[in-house]
Amino acid sequence: MTTKNYNQRFEKLLTVFLLIFALVSCGDDGDDTPGGGTKRTPEQMLRQRWIISTTSTYDHYEKAYLDLTGSTAKIAFQYSQNVCNLLGLQTDTWYEGVGGEIEIVPGEEGGVQCLCLKVGGRLWYTFKVSEISENALGKYGKVATGSVSVQKLPFHDVVSTVVGRWKDNENAEFYDFWAIRGNLLFQRHKEFKWETPISIVDGKLVLTNHIYYTGGGVDVDVTGSVYSSVMFKTTGGTEMSFAVIDNNHMQWTINGKNHNLERMESLPVEIEE
């Protein structure tokens, strides 16, 4: 090959290389980060493992661990000194809470864009979009670095059995018990009614299931557990206890009166507020 032909071939290859480089460089870089990656949406950034601190004594815990990396949230808590003293827990131990299927939906709070995190169908927390980053959730949440060892509460199985929907067999009333933000030691119960009102549609009688809460509900704290029983106290000071018979039956004692409850998980999930 002559020197002239070699130079011409080299120039053609160089031209093609420069053209390819120019096309790649001129691509849309609107989503590129300074590090060369792609910008993540607030929802994608939320899907991490977090340590969330609280300054509210009402929540009864010092820190919450929230794993949002899968389709189901994993939740755990480190409790305050007062709670640990009362229930014989360790302050530096992560205790398992109640997780559930993750749902993240856009919302608004005071005109500010937010993401509403639902776990198991219930609102867990509302995060301002402007406060969600790769490493922090505002000033109270930070990315969990390293592994977190989680263990069950000493009376986890007894307390978790209470969570669910129940029917009072004596009074034919219905109750919904759930762990607030997945916290087994901090629960709420609401009474609800299940009716089949009759309506007339196109001249025909129609029966429709209608389920709705009858009140705002009552917050209750776990104060202890003995064998198959767990004790609660309401924020108003009323004491009550649940004696678990099996997964589908328990006895609820309040104000000295016993109520036999039967689990009613077969009821439709949606209950109107």
Side-chain angles (χ1 to χ4, degrees), residues 189 234 238-241 251-259:
H189 72 79
T234 71
T238 301
E239 295 184 352
M240 60 183 70
S241 65
Q251 188 176 78
W252 180 18
T253 302
I254 180 172
N255 295 327
K257 186 176 181 180
N258 296 332
H259 301 262

Side-chain angles (χ1 to χ4, degrees), residues 31-52 66 68-69 115 127-139 141-145:
D31 291 331
D32 289 346
T33 62
T38 301
K39 286 183 179 178
R40 303 175 72 202
T41 66
E43 180 175 342
Q44 289 172 331
M45 289 189 287
L46 190 58
R47 290 275 191 163
Q48 300 188 74
R49 297 180 182 88
W50 300 96
I51 302 293
I52 299 175
L66 188 61
L68 301 177
T69 57
L115 286 181
F127 299 99
K128 294 179 181 178
V129 170
S130 61
E131 294 184 345
I132 301 174
S133 70
E134 293 283 357
N135 300 308
L137 294 174
K139 58 183 178 180
K142 62 180 181 180
V143 167
T145 57

Side-chain angles (χ1 to χ4, degrees), residues 160-219:
S160 60
T161 302
V162 177
V163 174
R165 295 182 172 87
W166 299 82
K167 176 185 177 183
D168 186 330
N169 293 331
E170 180 180 350
N171 299 321
E173 295 174 339
F174 300 89
Y175 299 92
D176 190 12
F177 298 87
W178 70 88
I180 298 176
R181 294 189 192 173
N183 190 342
L184 280 171
L185 300 189
F186 184 35
Q187 299 191 22
R188 177 174 295 165
H189 72 79
K190 279 188 179 185
E191 184 179 354
F192 64 94
K193 288 190 176 181
W194 185 26
E195 296 181 345
T196 53
I198 300 175
S199 58
I200 299 178
V201 179
D202 296 331
K204 297 180 180 179
L205 291 177
V206 178
L207 298 177
T208 20
N209 288 333
H210 183 63
I211 305 172
Y212 62 95
Y213 289 120
T214 60
V218 177
D219 293 342

Side-chain angles (χ1 to χ4, degrees), residues 57-69:
T57 56
Y58 186 63
D59 287 330
H60 310 302
Y61 63 86
E62 299 289 343
K63 296 178 181 178
Y65 170 71
L66 188 61
D67 184 348
L68 301 177
T69 57

Side-chain angles (χ1 to χ4, degrees), residues 52-182:
I52 299 175
S53 302
T54 179
T55 57
S56 172
T57 56
Y58 186 63
D59 287 330
H60 310 302
Y61 63 86
E62 299 289 343
K63 296 178 181 178
Y65 170 71
L66 188 61
D67 184 348
L68 301 177
T69 57
S71 60
T72 301
K74 297 177 182 178
I75 301 172
F77 299 92
Q78 285 188 357
Y79 290 103
S80 66
Q81 185 69 64
N82 289 339
V83 171
C84 290
N85 290 343
L86 176 67
L87 300 175
L89 307 178
Q90 301 296 320
T91 55
D92 58 351
T93 299
W94 289 103
Y95 292 102
E96 182 180 338
V98 180
E101 186 177 353
I102 299 170
E103 183 182 1
I104 300 175
V105 295
E108 188 176 294
E109 190 174 280
V112 178
Q113 280 189 313
C114 300
L115 286 181
C116 302
L117 171 64
K118 291 184 177 181
V119 176
R122 298 193 186 277
L123 180 65
W124 199 90
Y125 204 82
T126 299
F127 299 99
K128 294 179 181 178
V129 170
S130 61
E131 294 184 345
I132 301 174
S133 70
E134 293 283 357
N135 300 308
L137 294 174
K139 58 183 178 180
Y140 297 117
K142 62 180 181 180
V143 167
T145 57
S147 60
V148 171
S149 178
V150 177
Q151 69 180 51
K152 290 179 183 266
L153 289 161
F155 40 84
H156 177 279
D157 293 344
V158 177
V159 181
S160 60
T161 302
V162 177
V163 174
R165 295 182 172 87
W166 299 82
K167 176 185 177 183
D168 186 330
N169 293 331
E170 180 180 350
N171 299 321
E173 295 174 339
F174 300 89
Y175 299 92
D176 190 12
F177 298 87
W178 70 88
I180 298 176
R181 294 189 192 173

